[in-house]
Amino acid sequence: MSSNKKYWKSVEELENGSIVEALRNNEFVEPIPTDEFLGSKEAMSSSTSRRDFLKYVGFSTAAATLAACEGPVNKSIPYVLQPEQIIPGVADYYATSVFDGFDFANLLVKTREGRPIKIDNNTISGAKFTANARIHASILSLYDNMRLKEPKIGGKDSTWSAVDSKIKSSIVEANAKGGQVVLLTNTLASPSTEKLIGQFIASNPGAKHVIYDAVSSSEALDAFETVYGERALVDYDFSKASLIVSVGADFLGDWQGGGYDSGYAQGRVPKNGKMSRHFQLEANMTLSGAAADRRLPMSTANQKQALVHIYNIVTGSAVAVSLDAAFKAEVTKAAQQLKAAGSKGVLVSGIEDKNAQLLVLAINQVLASEAFTTTGARQIRKGSNEKVAQLVKDMKAGSVHTLIMSGVNPVYTLADSASFVEGLKKVTTSVSLSLKEDETALVSTIAAPVPHYLEAWGDLSLTNGTYSLTQPTIRPLFDTKQFQDVLMSLNGLSGTYYDYIKANSSSIVSGSSWNKILHDGVYVGAPQSIAGGTADYSGAASVLASSKAVPGFELVLYTKTGMGDGQQANNPWLQEFPDPITRVSWDNYVTVSSADARELTMSNEIVANGGLNGSYATITTVDGLKLENVPVIVQPGQAVGTIGLALGYGRKAALKEEMQVGINAYSLYKGFNNVQSVTLEKAGGDHEFACVQGQKTLMGRGDIIKETSLEIFNTKDAKLWNPVPMVSLDHKEVEATTVDLWDSFDRSVGHHFNLSIDLNACTGCGACVIACHAENNVPVVGKSEIRRSRDMHWLRIDRYYSSESTFEGDNQRKNNISGLSSSLSTFNEMEKAGDNPQVSFQPVMCQHCNHAPCETVCPVAATSHSRQGQNHMAYNRCVGTRYCANNCPYKVRRFNWFLYNKNSEFDYHMNDDLGRMVLNPDVNVRSRGVMEKCSMCIQMTQATILNAKKEGREIVDGEFQTACSNACSNGAMTFGDVNDKASQITKLVEDDRMYHLLEHVGTKPNVIYHVKVRNT
């Protein structure tokens, strides 16, 4: 049968019912600032006629004309000599790849008139890594006005020739005095760069290369190297797994580089009655935990015991464990199902312990897991905790003469950065090659600017057997030089790095030309398999089983979906991106379970203006380090006795003031261990969060999320698990879809666009949100405006919690209701949070209703419907009445309270000439007083139609795209023409799982959803 479980969107909704109810009934939570409209006190005190009032709020022709004139007017300057490859008004695409030491992907870069303006996924065969939210946002980081623009020596502007001369003389002096020359870099994954480094070390025998990953995977690398003899990571293929057990690994987030969500989603959509099953054991609530069929919140100490217990069952070992009885039955069940799955099962773990990672290898070897393969191992993490620690010791001992750093910021990311700075003072010459004058560059002898990856050449081998190229899509904006160019100069090599890559590639690829690889962006050779090996797995299990729980609270450090390791902290798109779980932007915070929060008297509450406030906490480590005034989020699903804190925040150097937010959690990252023993105390005061979760709640209507279990999906009729809402017509119950208040017309002529969203495939990653920002020139409004319910996102991903820990539990409790009093009390109780709720993500944008309530209330016909199914907005007609927003049941319309473009009050990318280079010329930049919302990327659909018409051909299925569907690598979003009866979107519209959001309202949307099925 269908699920009627009660959903709630936030803890605060339960605890502050009266305020939340008032906010639900008040579309605009703060009073309209009439004093700003009316102006002087004299005008305020005078009598105002109805005609005057209408004039003030924008009904007059003069007001509409004035609003239209606010749009920027610029003169066009034609090319004197137009480049042959650039056609004004036509986009060019370049295939490239990116790896910044943390994120990686194979990309297509869209350029207009020589400006890169958008990131797309490279979909050619062999391009397996897709862009996450951070990579989509990296296009904006290219135009960061805070970038380092020219070399500096001793903090003063200099030249590259002076820098080259100083570095060379320092190396000569180091060799003469016997001092160390050290190259400190992030993981490079670049064959040509590694060859250059090898040549440098060969010509300077005392030189060393130390690899440092800010967020370490060293323990997993050590384990893999012990077993297989190579420092690499397994590249799991979750599409081949029918049973997934994760012990502390957020593989849908940033675990071991991420990029696993596409394969995972393939197995999560029910096909032929089957889908994969997923167990998640974790402390923090993560994207992986949110997607799991069964989630067990447990501390890392219990996770270690659980991993040994699973090892015992799968391998037949008998290592003694001390797993809490509360978890033993569930862990045993997961282990038994994993063993039964055999080659279709896979286990992963994020525990930062070599012994734990050895057990992962052992378990997957015994299973002969198809998802676990050493063929094509990942090369995206190479760092060594031991070597980094030794480097700091050598620096403090004064034995390092010259230190050349590239792609790292240890002064910010090292836990004991004070020791690094102390050692840096004893280094004769320190060079920081960096995009920004960051924390490390500020204290280095030389700060040397490097180009953005969109301005640079490069090559990558992200996995064994693959090769991809990075190519520039724009000339360098500043006086920059690549790390590789510096190495070539130090090695005495002539020519350019481009020539070097091209020559070096011939020894890597075979059967393919340079031009083809450059065009395709990727090359896939024969997959390289690593010979199998073994280790003392039993000994590793015994050591792991003997580990004890940490005293006090267990702090689990993690990276947020938006901010990652903090490299792009000056990117306003990422700062304003709401975290998928907490829905908080512009902050990091400590997450605390509701049980621990009650004990510590910590809380969150929604205040009168709709903003979220929370307590402050003080975190103290065992060695006395304190982090004070850390904001608190009460997080359902957080394991009792554990707390979470995100890395990547708290930066100050080379950041605009607005972006200097949060707490630097790297200071707690002792020994590169993401689990630390701490104490937690409540501090005074309240923190103001920018949280969108309490806003636009869809008024509590109950058919927003539809769910069922795989068993019911397979055995029951669709009308039971996907019921059509019923309404009364002539005193008879009829299906809502059969009743119309409007006359319909024939929509089968021409194109008719629909967008499908599969709740099973959506992991909440947010790539679609940032892609929408980039494509549609969505403004950033800042923290204070977000608190006023004025966020401008055209696409939001709502996160819902269920009231019970399991789907069946909700149904059983509801079915046991008897009588009115029981109904009232039970439903009231069901609104309260479970300690371990199930989670659902739901992307919501304009639903492009065929019978749109917004269109009927607009007094100036600014919003109207097209034959192609898109709801249009004529911005020049809009006079800002906001009636359409009031009448929209989906709450997807956004009002421009201010002019966000060229406004010093909103000092983000739209306030400077460089930042505005990212704007898409195909989409108008909206002015103050205008309502805006998702356009279903009409500029993209029209361009597709015109291109096909120009080429004299029919449009093929899949050619129509929106920014969000193009960015979604999981297949959760499918866009197309339903009048093409052979198209994928037509099949999805006719699928039994299809439903419309708030179907009983009768708006007949062109966005469809698919019922979420859980394999519980």
Side-chain angles (χ1 to χ4, degrees):
M1 62 185 294
S2 66
S3 165
N4 289 320
K5 64 180 168 185
K6 195 75 173 177
Y7 282 98
W8 48 277
K9 292 186 70 176
S10 59
V11 178
E12 301 72 37
E13 185 176 343
L14 309 176
E15 305 299 331
N16 302 276
S18 59
I19 289 180
V20 173
E21 189 62 32
L23 292 170
R24 284 177 174 173
N25 296 317
N26 187 3
E27 181 71 24
F28 303 103
V29 297
E30 290 191 343
I32 296 175
T34 51
D35 55 334
E36 295 180 21
F37 294 142
L38 297 177
S40 65
K41 293 181 179 178
E42 291 76 13
M44 288 290 289
S45 61
S46 64
S47 60
T48 304
S49 67
R50 181 175 183 274
R51 179 181 177 185
D52 289 334
F53 174 75
L54 294 180
K55 178 177 69 175
Y56 289 136
V57 296
F59 273 81
S60 72
T61 304
T65 305
L66 184 62
C69 291
E70 282 188 3
V73 178
N74 297 310
K75 295 181 179 179
S76 299
I77 302 174
Y79 289 110
V80 177
L81 293 173
Q82 180 181 320
E84 291 182 8
Q85 67 273 26
I86 294 179
I87 302 174
V90 177
D92 290 315
Y93 291 83
Y94 295 89
T96 190
S97 294
V98 58
F99 176 54
D100 62 8
F102 192 73
D103 293 315
F104 50 92
N106 306 119
L107 310 173
L108 288 178
V109 181
K110 179 182 179 181
T111 67
R112 284 292 301 270
E113 288 75 58
R115 293 180 296 115
I117 62 170
K118 188 169 183 292
I119 298 293
D120 286 333
N121 292 318
N122 190 347
T123 56
I124 199 167
S125 177
K128 63 179 293 186
F129 295 117
T130 55
N132 58 22
R134 295 185 295 269
I135 292 176
H136 278 288
S138 66
I139 193 87
L140 183 58
S141 295
L142 168 67
Y143 303 114
D144 185 352
N145 201 37
M146 301 294 288
R147 283 176 56 186
L148 185 57
K149 299 178 177 63
E150 58 188 351
K152 291 186 177 183
I153 299 178
K156 297 180 180 179
D157 294 344
S158 186
T159 63
W160 273 107
S161 59
V163 168
D164 287 345
S165 176
K166 188 170 182 63
I167 296 174
K168 287 177 180 177
S169 61
S170 180
I171 292 173
V172 170
E173 183 180 321
N175 291 335
K177 293 183 176 180
Q180 287 186 25
V181 177
V182 179
L183 301 178
L184 178 64
T185 73
N186 57 359
T187 301
L188 298 165
S190 168
S192 62
T193 309
E194 288 166 358
K195 185 176 179 180
L196 281 171
I197 290 174
Q199 292 171 340
F200 176 79
I201 292 175
S203 58
N204 299 277
K208 294 181 180 178
H209 179 208
V210 177
I211 301 175
Y212 167 46
D213 296 323
V215 181
S216 176
S217 295
S218 187
E219 303 294 341
L221 290 165
D222 292 343
F224 192 91
E225 190 173 23
T226 297
V227 176
Y228 297 103
E230 180 176 331
R231 199 162 184 79
L233 295 171
V234 179
D235 188 31
Y236 295 91
D237 185 354
F238 289 100
S239 67
K240 296 180 179 179
S242 62
L243 187 77
I244 302 164
V245 177
S246 171
V247 184
D250 182 17
F251 58 87
L252 296 181
D254 297 328
W255 174 76
Q256 294 188 5
Y260 294 115
D261 42 357
S262 179
Y264 174 82
Q266 290 178 40
R268 297 296 289 170
V269 177
K271 296 173 185 173
N272 302 318
K274 295 182 179 180
M275 61 180 286
S276 63
R277 194 172 195 194
H278 174 191
F279 288 88
Q280 184 79 13
L281 287 61
E282 63 182 11
N284 298 340
M285 175 68 85
T286 67
L287 289 181
S288 302
D293 297 303
R294 185 70 180 129
R295 178 181 180 272
L296 299 178
M298 59 170 66
S299 67
T300 306
N302 274 316
Q303 290 172 35
K304 291 178 179 179
Q305 301 298 325
L307 183 58
V308 178
H309 187 58
I310 294 170
Y311 170 78
N312 284 342
I313 293 175
V314 172
T315 65
S317 302
V319 179
V321 297
S322 54
L323 180 63
D324 285 1
F327 304 118
K328 195 163 187 177
E330 286 287 348
V331 174
T332 300
K333 179 181 175 182
Q336 289 171 342
Q337 292 186 20
L338 181 64
K339 184 176 182 179
S343 63
K344 291 296 182 181
V346 67
L347 180 138
V348 294
S349 178
I351 299 172
E352 290 297 319
D353 186 297
K354 181 180 177 180
N355 294 310
Q357 296 302 324
L358 284 172
L359 294 192
V360 172
L361 301 179
I363 291 168
N364 287 309
Q365 284 176 352
V366 170
L367 293 171
S369 172
E370 295 177 18
F372 171 94
T373 175
T374 57
T375 301
R378 289 190 171 198
Q379 306 295 311
I380 46 85
R381 297 288 186 270
K382 297 280 189 179
S384 170
N385 298 346
E386 185 181 344
K387 291 181 179 179
V388 173
Q390 185 60 49
L391 171 62
V392 175
K393 290 179 182 177
D394 291 344
M395 290 167 60
K396 291 175 71 175
S399 56
V400 178
H401 183 280
T402 304
L403 178 64
I404 302 174
M405 297 170 283
S406 174
V408 295
N409 185 10
V411 174
Y412 165 64
T413 58
L414 271 179
D416 192 9
S417 62
S419 290
F420 185 87
V421 173
E422 180 186 342
L424 201 62
K425 292 176 181 177
K426 298 180 180 180
V427 175
T428 304
T429 304
S430 55
V431 184
S432 177
L433 291 114
S434 174
L435 269 173
K436 313 285 285 291
E437 194 173 9
D438 56 27
E439 290 81 356
T440 302
L442 284 172
V443 294
S444 298
T445 311
I446 299 172
V450 297
H452 190 271
Y453 76 88
L454 292 172
E455 305 168 310
W457 284 102
D459 63 350
L460 295 169
S461 179
L462 299 174
T463 59
N464 279 338
T466 64
Y467 185 74
S468 52
L469 291 175
T470 299
Q471 65 170 315
T473 57
I474 189 173
R475 292 184 64 183
L477 298 174
F478 306 115
D479 185 15
T480 57
K481 185 180 286 190
Q482 289 184 239
F483 172 53
Q484 293 85 352
D485 287 319
V486 173
L487 283 176
M488 288 183 68
S489 176
L490 296 178
N491 291 344
L493 298 175
S494 59
T496 64
Y497 182 49
Y498 166 81
D499 297 326
Y500 187 88
I501 296 173
K502 188 174 181 180
N504 192 53
S505 67
S506 59
S507 63
I508 300 172
V509 302
S510 59
S512 185
S513 67
W514 168 262
N515 286 341
K516 178 170 174 54
I517 300 170
L518 192 61
H519 173 271
D520 294 349
V522 295
Y523 164 84
V524 180
Q528 299 178 21
S529 182
I530 300 173
T534 187
D536 182 10
Y537 298 131
S538 179
S542 297
V543 173
L544 193 66
S546 65
S547 58
K548 304 296 183 184
V550 299
F553 277 94
E554 181 184 280
L555 168 66
V556 182
L557 299 168
Y558 69 100
T559 54
K560 283 180 71 171
T561 304
M563 195 50 60
D565 64 349
Q567 290 187 52
Q568 295 191 75
N570 204 44
N571 192 311
W573 286 351
L574 294 178
Q575 289 282 9
E576 192 147 297
F577 172 70
D579 181 79
I581 301 294
T582 64
R583 309 291 286 132
V584 173
S585 58
W586 294 100
D587 257 318
N588 66 338
Y589 34 77
V590 59
T591 55
V592 183
S593 71
S594 56
D596 291 328
R598 283 193 297 269
E599 187 173 333
L600 296 167
T601 66
M602 296 175 177
S603 62
N604 295 138
E605 63 175 350
I606 294 177
V607 293
N609 71 347
L612 178 71
N613 285 6
S615 305
Y616 280 115
T618 300
I619 302 174
T620 308
T621 64
V622 290
D623 55 1
L625 176 65
K626 280 189 178 183
L627 282 186
E628 297 181 335
N629 293 328
V630 184
V632 173
I633 287 287
V634 180
Q635 177 60 61
Q638 183 79 31
V640 176
T642 72
I643 58 177
L645 183 61
L647 303 165
Y649 286 82
R651 295 189 59 185
K652 303 293 182 185
L655 265 67
K656 289 185 177 180
E657 185 178 352
E658 290 82 358
M659 260 67 81
Q660 296 177 22
V661 296
I663 304 292
N664 183 7
Y666 279 112
S667 60
L668 303 179
Y669 194 32
K670 302 285 186 180
F672 298 97
N673 192 339
N674 67 334
V675 177
Q676 300 288 331
S677 172
V678 299
T679 58
L680 189 69
E681 298 176 85
K682 184 179 179 180
D686 285 331
H687 182 79
E688 296 184 345
F689 288 104
C691 178
V692 300
Q693 188 60 32
Q695 305 163 14
K696 304 169 184 71
T697 62
L698 299 186
M699 307 292 287
R701 286 173 274 229
D703 57 350
I704 298 166
I705 294 281
K706 288 189 179 182
E707 284 187 330
T708 190
S709 68
L710 184 62
E711 180 185 358
I712 293 174
F713 174 76
N714 286 333
T715 59
K716 304 295 183 182
D717 188 82
K719 289 186 177 180
L720 291 174
W721 51 262
N722 186 16
V724 177
M726 307 297 286
V727 296
S728 178
L729 179 66
D730 296 331
H731 306 289
K732 294 180 181 178
E733 288 282 302
V734 297
E735 293 183 348
T737 52
T738 64
V739 180
D740 255 333
L741 295 179
W742 291 268
D743 292 331
S744 294
F745 59 87
D746 182 12
R747 303 182 189 277
S748 63
V749 179
H751 303 291
H752 190 169
F753 299 118
N754 271 203
L755 175 65
S756 167
I757 299 174
D758 195 325
L759 300 183
N760 264 58
C762 179
T763 62
C765 71
C768 54
V769 176
I770 302 298
C772 177
H773 258 285
E775 175 67 29
N776 295 297
N777 302 333
V778 176
V780 173
V781 300
K783 182 174 182 177
S784 62
E785 290 298 291
I786 295 287
R787 274 186 63 81
R788 292 186 175 95
S789 307
R790 295 175 181 173
D791 61 295
M792 295 298 293
H793 296 100
W794 282 13
L795 163 61
R796 70 177 190 266
I797 303 179
D798 284 339
R799 182 268 295 133
Y800 291 95
Y801 293 134
S802 67
S803 56
E804 295 289 328
S805 60
T806 65
F807 180 87
E808 292 83 358
D810 269 3
N811 278 342
Q812 185 177 356
R813 190 169 187 184
K814 175 182 69 69
N815 292 335
N816 288 337
I817 294 175
S818 60
L820 177 60
S821 60
S822 175
S823 172
L824 293 175
S825 61
T826 302
F827 276 118
N828 184 54
E829 286 296 317
M830 287 179 71
E831 289 189 6
K832 294 185 178 178
D835 290 331
N836 184 26
Q838 286 184 341
V839 184
S840 290
F841 296 111
Q842 185 176 57
V844 180
M845 66 292 288
C846 174
Q847 303 291 290
H848 296 272
C849 311
N850 288 320
H851 294 163
C854 58
E855 296 168 9
T856 57
V857 294
C858 181
V860 291
T863 182
S864 59
H865 210 68
S866 75
R867 290 196 68 92
Q868 296 181 348
Q870 290 153 312
N871 177 263
H872 291 179
M873 273 297 304
Y875 297 125
N876 273 11
R877 293 184 65 88
C878 179
V879 293
T881 64
R882 304 185 301 284
Y883 292 170
C884 55
N886 278 308
N887 219 39
C888 173
Y890 307 103
K891 303 307 166 199
V892 289
R893 289 176 165 262
R894 305 289 178 262
F895 183 66
N896 286 268
W897 291 92
F898 301 95
L899 181 66
Y900 303 112
N901 180 42
K902 297 183 180 179
N903 187 340
S904 60
E905 293 297 318
F906 300 92
D907 191 17
Y908 309 109
H909 66 290
M910 284 188 175
N911 191 43
D912 61 75
D913 291 336
L914 187 63
R916 283 192 295 272
M917 286 180 71
V918 82
L919 296 179
N920 183 359
D922 293 332
V923 179
N924 186 42
V925 176
R926 283 74 63 186
S927 296
R928 182 182 63 184
V930 171
M931 186 68 71
E932 62 181 71
K933 51 94 200 175
C934 161
S935 67
M936 208 177 267
C937 290
I938 187 171
Q939 70 280 1
M940 294 177 68
T941 56
Q942 292 307 302
T944 301
I945 293 169
L946 291 174
N947 286 339
K949 184 177 181 180
K950 183 175 66 174
E951 296 168 9
R953 61 174 177 81
E954 291 187 357
I955 297 170
V956 299
D957 186 31
E959 200 171 351
F960 283 121
Q961 292 288 347
T962 59
C964 55
S965 67
N966 211 16
C968 183
S969 59
N970 300 347
M973 292 183 174
T974 304
F975 181 75
D977 179 8
V978 292
N979 286 341
D980 177 3
K981 298 307 176 185
S983 66
Q984 178 66 18
I985 189 68
T986 302
K987 296 174 185 176
L988 292 170
V989 168
E990 296 169 353
D991 191 271
D992 284 343
R993 288 200 296 134
M994 187 278 289
Y995 74 98
H996 291 108
L997 199 59
L998 303 181
E999 205 158 30
H1000 60 275
V1001 180
T1003 56
K1004 298 192 179 300
N1006 284 312
V1007 177
I1008 65 174
Y1009 292 84
H1010 284 76
V1011 173
K1012 188 176 183 70
V1013 181
R1014 294 189 189 270
N1015 192 0
T1016 51

